[in-house]
Each structure stands twice: as structure tokens, then as C-alpha cells.
Amino acid sequence: MNTEIKGPDGKPRCRWCAAAPEFFAYHDEEWGFPVDNDIRLFEKLCLESFQSGLSWRTILAKRDNFRAAFAGFDFNKVALFDESDVKRLLADEGIVRHRGKIEAVINNAAKARDIVAEYGSLAAYFWRFEPDKNSLPEPQTVSASEASAALSKALKKQGWKFVGPTTVYAFMQAMGLVNDHSGGCIIRKKVEQARKGFKRP
């Protein structure tokens, strides 16, 4: 199976970029590069939970609106949201208006603070679940893994919501805990170099 397509520069990229023109920039500049910033990690996990049942294109198009609505995904601020904020968010046409997912973000923000208090940072907690790269399946052949199941289970035990193994695997792919770029994708080597130079928290 051909797992690549030609990008705007004629060089191979992961086939999923073909789904939308805006995916190329996201793919080339963000997806798979390792992240240790707590706000970005929290944001991504929240956006992946909103994406469940929808397309990533929908979420990516609304990302700036989500950031404005959720205080830049600063979990210390979001943890203080109350019912008036839920009503405000349910009336915000710029985001996905799903009460359960909105309430989950607020709940998870409080749980994120608990993790930071215990482990020092979200990054330190999440990167504990980085899988051995020698144990990984071929790129983009699975939608969940043992590592994502383990992180999902651990988060649920901490009280997080909307963090199933598939949601968590998409988060791990995007935040660089795994390099899931296809073998012939020109960005795969760049991500691997970034991962080699990345200081695990």
C-alpha cells in the first residue's frame, strides 16, 4: 500500500495530508515533534477529546476559537471555571458545543493541577509512558497501543474523562511520544532527529 503522497514541494508526506490543504503545515511543523510544554500537552489532549466522533480538520479549523474560549488552555485558569463558564461555552458557536466534553476539560484541568503537584509537570508524567520504539508497530497501522491503553488507564484512575486509548494514542502521535510518520515521509527523519535531541522531562 502506498502510504505517502506528494506534498506541495513534490516531496513525499504521510497520506493523511491529502484530506485537507491545511494539513500539510500541521504535519510538517507540529505533528510528531516532541513536546514538553505543559500547556501544549494539556491543549492537545483536550482537543483530541473534542475530536472524538468528528474530523481533525474540524478541530484544527476551530483551534484558535478553542484557545480563546478556554483561557489558552492554561489548566490553572480552566480549573476555576464554573457553571456560568459552561453556559458561556455552550453558547460559543466557534467551538464544538458538547456539554460532556466541555465539562471534561474543566474536570481534567483540576486533575492536571493534581498531577503537577505530584510529579512536577504534566510533561514528566506523560513522558513516563513513552514506549520502547523497538516495540512499535509499523507507522499508522494501529489506532491504539499498549502504551496508550496504559496512559489512558492511569489518567482515568486520576479522575480524567474522555481519555480513552484511541484518544490518547492520537495525542501520543501528535506530541512526539511516538514517531508515527510513514517510512518514506520526508518529515520522519526530522522528527527522529528532534526526538534524539529531546531532553526527556
Side-chain angles (χ1 to χ4, degrees):
M1 185 181 76
N2 185 4
T3 56
E4 289 90 35
I5 61 162
K6 287 184 178 180
D9 57 3
K11 296 178 180 179
R13 304 296 201 287
C14 295
R15 176 163 286 280
W16 59 262
C17 291
E22 60 268 29
F23 280 0
F24 284 103
Y26 173 71
H27 168 274
D28 287 7
E29 299 165 15
E30 295 185 53
W31 196 74
F33 288 92
V35 173
D36 62 1
N37 179 283
D38 278 6
I39 299 298
R40 283 193 60 200
L41 290 165
F42 181 70
E43 172 188 280
K44 183 59 177 173
L45 195 49
C46 292
L47 292 180
E48 288 296 349
S49 71
F50 271 106
Q51 189 267 331
S52 180
L54 302 170
S55 72
W56 176 242
R57 186 178 190 181
T58 297
I59 303 303
L60 187 60
K62 295 176 179 286
R63 184 163 64 169
D64 286 343
N65 297 335
F66 274 109
R67 288 170 173 169
F70 285 97
F73 286 100
D74 181 338
F75 48 85
N76 289 304
K77 294 179 180 178
V78 177
L80 302 177
F81 281 15
D82 57 20
E83 183 58 30
S84 66
D85 291 292
V86 174
K87 291 180 179 178
R88 169 180 62 82
L89 292 163
L90 285 170
D92 189 338
E93 296 181 356
I95 66 169
V96 174
R97 294 179 289 176
H98 183 293
R99 176 178 281 273
K101 293 177 180 178
I102 288 169
E103 291 178 342
V105 170
I106 299 169
N107 170 80
N108 294 349
K111 303 308 177 184
R113 293 201 303 183
D114 293 342
I115 285 178
V116 171
E118 184 174 354
Y119 293 90
S121 68
L122 288 183
Y125 182 79
F126 289 137
W127 279 92
R128 293 166 62 242
F129 293 88
E130 178 186 13
D132 180 345
K133 68 178 184 178
N134 295 320
S135 69
L136 296 175
E138 286 296 307
Q140 298 175 44
T141 58
V142 300
S143 59
S145 68
E146 287 187 15
S148 76
L151 176 52
S152 171
K153 183 178 180 180
L155 287 171
K156 289 177 180 178
K157 189 174 181 179
Q158 293 270 356
W160 290 57
K161 299 177 180 178
F162 280 93
V163 287
T166 300
T167 293
V168 170
Y169 189 66
F171 163 80
M172 296 175 84
Q173 288 174 302
M175 298 287 96
L177 280 83
V178 297
N179 181 359
D180 223 22
H181 283 272
S182 61
C185 174
I186 66 162
I187 304 301
R188 182 174 179 83
K189 287 184 179 179
K190 292 182 180 180
V191 165
E192 201 53 45
Q193 288 173 350
R195 282 174 44 79
K196 286 180 180 177
F198 180 68
K199 185 177 180 182
R200 272 63 175 169

